[in-house]
Amino acid sequence: MFQQDAGLPTGSGQTEIVFPAQRNGHGRSKDRPFTRQEVVADIVETLTSGSGCGIVLVGDHGAGKSFIAQRALEQLGDEYLVVQVRGSSISSKLPYGALSVLLNDLDASHLEHPLMVLRGLTQLLHNKSEGRRIVLFVDNAHDLDELSSMMVAQLSAGSHVTLLAACVDMPHIGGDIMGLWKDDLLRRVDLGPFDFAETATTLHHEYGGRFSLTAARALWSASGGNALFLHSLAREQIKLGTVIRQDGVWFLGNGPIALTGEIRDVVKARLNRLGNGQRDVFELLALAGAVPLQTLMLIANPQDMDALQERALIRVTHDHPPMVSIANPVTAGIVANVVPPGRSAELRRRLTAVLQESDALDTGGSAGVAWALDCGEEVSSQVALAAARAANGASDHAAALRFVQEVEGSEPAALMAIETVNAHISVNNEDSARRVLEALDDGACAKLPLTEWTALQLLRVELDKRSTAPGADPEARIQEFAERLAAEPAAQSSVAVAARERLRLAEAGLAAFRGRYDEVLAITDGVDAGDLGSEPRILTASVRSEALAVTGNVVRALALGKQIQAATAGVQLPDHAVREIRGRFLLLLLLSGKFRETSVYLEETYSGAEPQTRLGGMFEIGHGVMDLHAGHLDDALSRLQAGRWQLRAQDPDALGGLAAAVCAYAAALQGEEEMAGLLLDDLAQARPPAAWLVERLTRYFELSAQAELGQRAMSIRALSAEAGNDAETSALAPALLFQSAAARLGDRQTGQKLGSLSGRVTGQFAALCSRLAEGMREADSEQLLAASKEAEACGNTVFARDAVRKAVGCANDAGNRIALRIAQRAQQSLDDKFGSPKNGLRSLTTSTLTARECEVAVRAAAGTSNRKIAEQMHVSVRTVEGHLYQVYSKLHVASRSELKDVISTPADSARLG
């Protein structure tokens, strides 16, 4: 899939000539899918249209220009001759350097004057072409010498060749070729970095398997979307075992992306191409992380800074003050690691020489502090603490622990412990976190200022909430917190107000974790959605939105959820807070049944440039859940499998059980019964406690999978029982979810319960359930068919399939032949969406026919004679005729041709008991 751009340095600098191009179709990549095929098609259209002089591809080194050009050239027909030349840093210093091999075929007299060179080249190409049209591919056009550039432009302007050029940037392409572009004779196509979708697709094509969201985004972020970087990184991570393959999917292991091997060599080669002043700036920024613009201008030449910015190697923020940093953080990490210690120390001295002493260690945040430590400088506990807090907020927990350990034993011990425990909890290392807290002196902690004591108490609450040990009592911790706060003398101080906000958040969060949503609503009553200016207020409102949704007020919950999403843009939040808010909003969207809106939210969020640590586990399986409901089972299963394995490696939110349950349901829908069974068995294994709502959704998908595997009666009873239990505790939205599944599988009685429950819940899904319940109550096939169409329009094809099966049954019972045929066609269309022949068979069996009748019907619809069916099924011809009579009667058809219209499932798939 990938090719290294010829823009990178080559050893010989020789010109490559192709006479003629390899016959189309024989290149190894011609028939392989690849990203940006539409760009290739557009290039081919331009080259073959006969309009203009051709096309120029512009993109950074490694952007894939050469690869795209080669794929386009492969698609040209036999009536084209491709001539390829390549510029290089060596040939650019020689007159006609890039064309030297071509000129070797000319008589020496042709080289005395540019006009004679042009005439000679024109005649040479004409003779070689033998009547074919000529496409001249100039790779590394920015490295052409002036005379070569002029010849290429003249050949193109004179229509002797159609030009396909590739260059890093237009200003260095040469005046003559630039003139063609300015005169609109040469079309420009810019190849920017891959976006996330292109990166994920490229990885899938190249390595044959879905990459988990975390793995794909890690490689995307590390490569900056550069095709060469992406290839180098992916290959190295697979070699090192950082990216792991399992069950045909890829996921990121516990370690970070390793910046070694080929990618390191590529970055070092780029660094070596920079001038001395540019290299100083680049290395300094790599080590410091970020430097104020005004400070950097005291050290570096502004022209060097401008050159780096023009090449998009550094960026300047619009903050106050403006900060300068390296555009690609992975490039920065590699460069920082290859700078020798002595040079690092010298760059450090140059920076600190122009800073105030108090600011010297703050520049660059945690990166600047790490640099200071690497250079042997002493770091105060205050600076180390601030750096640890910043590192924890950015999910760099290893750095946070390092900063704390560097000043271990310094005061204040409690503040250091807070950041240490935060780091351990974030990587699911609860035992280490408890040991740190147990080592603190209880008496000293009790005398701490309210802010520090509050932080420690909340960490203890979080650990107790996660623990299954008998002594864990988060409620008692919260009560102790409330008593301390009530005893505060300055109850109206800003510190006390902030502590009360933290207390309310802790109370609401624990109640939601336990599933006590009436309590959550009482605790958060009076939360002002218009005043979401701090982290505790935003998180508290987020918990309230979950409670509103679960207790049935889905419309209001979604409105509040959207206000919260908007508020997060104006408040600086740590990664864990953003993860929690977004994960909760995804759960709300699932409860609301707004699957199309959910898909848009997922794509918009994970296509953004921010790190994966701000997305969380729900994003790993969210798109798979959407694909499942839409009936795209192949995509759903691969996404869910990748997400499930990723969550087995990294699962801070305890979503592994939910991932396994959804994956089992997808496998069951696709007919992969063995896989589904193994996944359901996996659910029985012990796992960390998850939030109540996550556990309910896990149970819902588990029972839905069991129903698809043939445990229909048991599943209906269990789904109805779960719905009743949730309704008793005012968890109406989950109850509706369970009851809707029971109704879609069950009879009128379950439908009546669904109708009663749907009236107590607001939102689109509740309205859909109400329509289904009404259709079941009235045995109205038209209303059930309308419910099916509405569900399909919402992106819930599973619901639509089940509703249309009900419509088929009702029309059949009523003997309404016209309605039955309409419903049957709709059912067949929906069953076909699921892609597995077993789905069509199962639907016929469960809604209309017995298993034996279905088998006979499928074979008859395929054109098999009664005698042949009897032989295949080891029964008598009369038995087959009897089954066919029942089939015709039940399906209201009169012939095999009509039967074929109803049943399109292949006969060899008819394997029913």
Side-chain angles (χ1 to χ4, degrees), residues 592-673:
S592 72
K594 289 182 171 289
F595 296 123
R596 296 197 187 281
E597 185 176 327
T598 306
S599 293
V600 171
Y601 175 69
L602 283 166
E603 291 176 3
E604 288 180 348
T605 305
Y606 65 52
S607 295
E610 60 186 345
Q612 175 69 16
T613 50
R614 295 174 72 84
L615 269 65
M618 276 304 299
F619 284 82
E620 280 293 350
I621 60 175
H623 213 139
V625 174
M626 297 303 100
D627 283 337
L628 180 156
H629 283 94
H632 306 147
L633 295 184
D634 285 337
D635 285 339
L637 201 51
S638 65
R639 289 185 196 276
L640 291 168
Q641 281 282 51
R644 184 175 73 90
W645 280 106
Q646 186 62 66
L647 290 172
R648 291 185 69 164
Q650 304 171 18
D651 188 16
D653 303 316
L655 295 170
L658 177 57
V662 181
C663 204
Y665 187 30
L669 284 170
Q670 199 174 35
E672 299 288 346
E673 296 177 3

Side-chain angles (χ1 to χ4, degrees), residues 159-239:
S159 300
H160 304 295
V161 300
T162 300
L163 178 62
L164 173 59
C167 67
V168 171
D169 51 22
M170 291 296 288
H172 294 91
I173 200 173
D176 294 282
I177 299 178
M178 174 74 82
L180 297 178
W181 172 63
K182 289 181 177 179
D183 293 337
D184 291 330
L185 297 175
L186 191 64
R187 183 173 164 225
R188 172 175 175 167
V189 173
D190 288 280
L191 292 181
F194 284 156
D195 60 24
F196 173 71
E198 289 173 324
T199 297
T201 302
T202 295
L203 291 169
H204 178 71
H205 287 161
E206 180 68 12
Y207 297 101
R210 180 84 62 181
F211 277 63
S212 73
L213 184 67
T214 296
R217 279 181 57 88
L219 291 169
W220 178 49
S221 299
S223 67
N226 182 282
L228 173 61
F229 276 21
L230 180 63
H231 174 51
S232 301
L233 275 168
R235 187 165 55 196
E236 189 70 16
Q237 304 321 300
I238 291 171
K239 176 182 175 182

Side-chain angles (χ1 to χ4, degrees), residues 342-353:
R343 178 163 173 77
S344 173
E346 170 59 26
L347 290 170
R348 180 74 189 171
R349 284 192 294 271
R350 290 172 61 181
L351 176 62
T352 55

Side-chain angles (χ1 to χ4, degrees), residues 596 764 768 771-772 781-805 807 819 822-823 825-827 829-830 833:
R596 296 197 187 281
Q764 184 175 357
L768 190 59
R771 174 169 282 192
L772 174 68
S781 62
E782 291 185 6
Q783 189 160 352
L784 289 167
L785 193 57
S788 173
K789 291 179 178 178
E790 183 181 336
E792 187 176 10
C794 295
N796 195 343
T797 306
V798 175
F799 193 112
R801 179 205 64 173
D802 293 344
V804 81
R805 288 178 180 178
I822 293 172
R825 288 194 182 101
Q827 176 184 350
S829 174
L830 287 168
K833 278 193 171 185

Side-chain angles (χ1 to χ4, degrees), residues 374-554:
D374 290 339
C375 291
E377 297 181 23
E378 291 188 7
V379 176
S380 69
S381 59
Q382 182 180 3
V383 170
L385 182 62
R389 188 177 297 116
N392 271 330
S395 300
D396 190 356
H397 307 299
L401 291 173
R402 179 197 177 187
F403 297 145
V404 171
Q405 290 164 0
E406 289 286 348
V407 291
E408 195 169 9
S410 301
E411 295 296 333
L415 294 179
M416 295 298 180
I418 289 170
E419 297 309 323
T420 303
V421 173
N422 264 322
H424 286 313
I425 289 178
S426 296
V427 294
N428 290 340
N429 195 349
E430 285 89 357
D431 290 340
S432 294
R434 289 190 182 91
R435 284 195 293 270
V436 172
L437 290 175
E438 289 167 359
L440 293 174
D441 181 82
D442 290 340
C445 288
K447 298 176 182 178
L448 286 172
L450 182 59
T451 300
E452 287 79 2
W453 185 86
T454 295
L456 284 173
Q457 194 71 358
L458 291 178
L459 289 172
R460 290 188 171 102
V461 170
E462 184 64 26
L463 285 170
D464 281 356
K465 185 175 75 174
R466 292 166 174 245
S467 175
T468 56
D473 191 353
E475 285 86 357
R477 299 278 190 194
I478 289 178
Q479 181 60 34
E480 183 182 352
F481 185 0
E483 292 172 357
R484 163 77 185 264
L485 191 55
E488 280 295 310
Q492 300 304 316
S493 70
S494 60
V495 172
V497 169
R500 279 198 296 273
E501 288 183 352
R502 292 284 180 186
L503 172 61
R504 181 172 62 179
L505 173 58
E507 290 174 328
L510 180 59
F513 190 85
R514 303 281 203 222
R516 303 192 299 263
Y517 288 100
D518 285 338
E519 186 178 327
V520 174
L521 292 176
I523 293 168
T524 61
D525 187 34
V527 168
D528 184 4
D531 185 16
L532 301 177
S534 68
E535 178 187 339
R537 292 175 189 173
I538 291 176
L539 286 170
T540 301
S542 177
V543 177
R544 180 173 178 81
S545 69
E546 179 181 323
L548 287 169
V550 169
T551 54
N553 201 338
V554 175

